[in-house]
Amino acid sequence: MKEILKNIKLGQIIGIYHFEDSCFTVGKISKIDSKYLYLLSYDVNFKEDGIKVFLIDSIKRIILKSDYIRSLEKNQKKIVRFNRENKDIFQELIENKVEISIELADGSIEEAYLTEKGEDYFNFQILNDNENIISEEVIAKDYLKRIKISNFIEKEEYKKFKLITTKNNDKYMAYDLSYNGDYLIFSEKEEFYDIAQINIISKNMIDSISEIEVKLDVKKENFNDLIDFKRDLDIVEILRRCLENKFLVFIDNEDFSETKVGIITDLEDNKIKVKEINKYGNFYKNFEIYFNEIQLLAVKNYKFMERDYEKKI
């Protein structure tokens, strides 16, 4: 990959699949050195959401051009504001031809348009990666596990969440709950992203709904304002700025079962110490990681407030 990257210009927008899974990053190349690729990363609405640093030797797949990247560059992602009180959400999906994700009972996930909703069935147009219709399908109500709709978050923080547990033991951190006939509609928390998933699930799937207290205080702030892209774009310097300013870091390695998220507490010559955050937004353990184990470093535009965060561990 080093030879390929040598021929890519700074400022070019590319896509990278993380390791061998389906996680996908789109970003603008800011720097390439002997070990790392530095990207100014974007979310699904093509808004800057921080910096990502990839260990070049761990990169297996680079997308140089695609319809998806072209659509992001044109900022054509449709955002729909749903009026839950005065209109049926299913009718809005049909009338606005909103792209949705449908999760089925067999575990498969499809991108689709909803074209009709019957009493016991749904009609969908199934889409490929280029958003072209490849099939039309009728799916039974009890075979449809949930519908997900990407949406932009206007509020920066949410502190009061509900934990929804389904009868098949799926768990969702939810807010803004409402009902539409036989369905529960809620927004699902995405960890420190400016997007949320509006979810629609059948009420008879729900086992319980309980309260969650999120103790950590975080603040939206642009990490890129702390970095001189011509002088400071170096992984050690980025880690140092995160330590000094209490920015959240996301660290990944292909051997990790999941991405580690937390705040750096110490920076040594060859490793960092991190207080890790669980999926409910609270500290729960410490870990150390050596620089050469960091295959992906992401810094999101969130930092911790100074007040008493140590007391909440």
Side-chain angles (χ1 to χ4, degrees):
M1 287 298 181
K2 289 181 180 179
E3 293 302 316
I4 298 297
L5 290 171
K6 284 180 181 178
N7 298 319
I8 300 177
K9 296 180 180 179
L10 296 182
Q12 180 171 333
I13 295 172
I14 63 172
I16 294 179
Y17 280 93
H18 304 175
F19 315 127
E20 296 180 1
D21 60 23
S22 59
C23 295
F24 183 64
T25 289
V26 173
K28 182 186 293 184
I29 298 177
S30 298
K31 180 182 175 182
I32 303 170
D33 63 23
S34 60
K35 291 186 65 176
Y36 298 103
L37 167 66
Y38 299 79
L39 289 185
L40 176 63
S41 65
Y42 297 99
D43 63 20
V44 296
N45 300 311
F46 208 56
K47 291 186 60 180
E48 294 181 6
D49 69 347
I51 290 175
K52 288 187 178 177
V53 183
F54 290 86
L55 181 68
I56 293 174
D57 286 344
S58 72
I59 298 173
K60 306 300 181 186
R61 186 177 178 188
I62 299 174
I63 312 300
L64 300 178
K65 294 180 181 180
S66 74
D67 290 344
Y68 178 71
I69 292 176
R70 283 191 287 272
S71 68
L72 284 178
E73 289 177 307
K74 294 178 182 178
N75 201 17
Q76 293 177 340
K77 199 75 174 179
K78 181 188 290 186
I79 302 298
V80 177
R81 308 299 181 196
F82 293 103
N83 187 339
R84 299 183 186 179
E85 296 180 358
N86 302 323
K87 197 170 185 179
D88 184 270
I89 192 170
F90 297 108
Q91 195 58 36
E92 290 199 59
L93 293 176
I94 295 169
E95 291 179 1
N96 290 286
K97 202 172 185 179
V98 179
E99 183 179 336
I100 59 178
S101 293
I102 57 174
E103 186 174 346
L104 305 179
D106 63 7
S108 62
I109 297 175
E110 302 284 357
E111 301 300 307
Y113 296 127
L114 176 64
T115 58
E116 183 183 350
K117 178 188 176 295
E119 185 175 348
D120 298 314
Y121 67 90
F122 292 82
N123 282 14
F124 294 105
Q125 293 176 331
I126 306 300
L127 309 176
N128 63 14
D129 291 341
N130 294 325
E131 300 183 0
N132 296 319
I133 298 169
I134 57 173
S135 67
E136 296 190 15
E137 301 184 17
V138 180
I139 296 175
K141 173 183 176 180
D142 60 2
Y143 199 69
L144 180 64
K145 190 174 178 181
R146 68 168 163 165
I147 293 174
K148 295 196 301 181
I149 312 152
S150 292
N151 209 42
F152 179 66
I153 296 175
E154 292 181 323
K155 293 181 286 185
E156 290 187 353
E157 295 179 34
Y158 299 93
K159 290 295 181 184
K160 294 182 179 179
F161 294 97
K162 305 284 188 181
L163 179 64
I164 299 173
T165 304
T166 67
K167 291 177 181 177
N168 56 6
N169 208 35
D170 290 323
K171 297 181 186 295
Y172 307 115
M173 284 185 68
Y175 56 91
D176 291 347
L177 282 69
S178 63
Y179 290 94
N180 189 312
D182 294 335
Y183 294 87
L184 173 65
I185 305 169
F186 61 92
S187 294
E188 183 183 4
K189 180 182 183 294
E190 293 276 341
E191 291 181 326
F192 306 106
Y193 289 84
D194 290 336
I195 58 171
Q197 302 288 343
I198 296 175
N199 285 259
I200 304 172
I201 63 174
S202 176
K203 287 194 293 188
N204 62 20
M205 292 176 55
I206 299 170
D207 180 61
S208 65
I209 300 177
S210 56
E211 300 282 345
I212 296 178
E213 181 184 6
V214 177
K215 297 180 180 179
L216 293 177
D217 294 317
V218 295
K219 176 184 177 183
K220 281 287 297 294
E221 191 166 308
N222 193 341
F223 179 77
N224 297 348
D225 292 341
L226 301 176
I227 292 288
D228 183 328
F229 276 71
K230 292 183 179 179
R231 185 186 63 188
D232 299 331
L233 212 54
D234 172 82
I235 190 168
V236 176
E237 187 61 32
I238 290 172
L239 292 169
R240 182 176 292 110
R241 298 296 174 93
C242 291
L243 169 64
E244 294 170 350
N245 296 278
K246 296 185 174 64
F247 268 81
L248 279 176
V249 295
F250 296 66
I251 297 172
D252 220 336
N253 181 295
E254 59 188 341
D255 294 328
F256 292 171
S257 59
E258 59 183 13
T259 303
K260 296 182 181 295
V261 182
I263 180 172
I264 298 173
T265 58
D266 194 19
L267 177 64
E268 300 181 4
D269 289 340
N270 59 351
K271 67 180 179 181
I272 57 173
K273 296 180 180 179
V274 179
K275 289 188 181 296
E276 191 172 356
I277 298 170
N278 65 16
K279 64 180 180 180
Y280 302 122
N282 298 313
F283 286 120
Y284 78 114
K285 67 178 180 180
N286 301 321
F287 75 92
E288 296 181 352
I289 184 167
Y290 289 89
F291 291 166
N292 59 10
E293 295 178 297
I294 300 175
Q295 295 180 340
L296 169 59
L297 167 69
V299 184
K300 294 289 182 182
N301 293 326
Y302 285 88
K303 66 177 294 183
F304 284 92
M305 303 296 287
E306 294 285 347
R307 56 179 182 273
D308 297 334
Y309 80 90
E310 289 285 352
K311 297 179 181 179
K312 298 177 181 179
I313 301 173

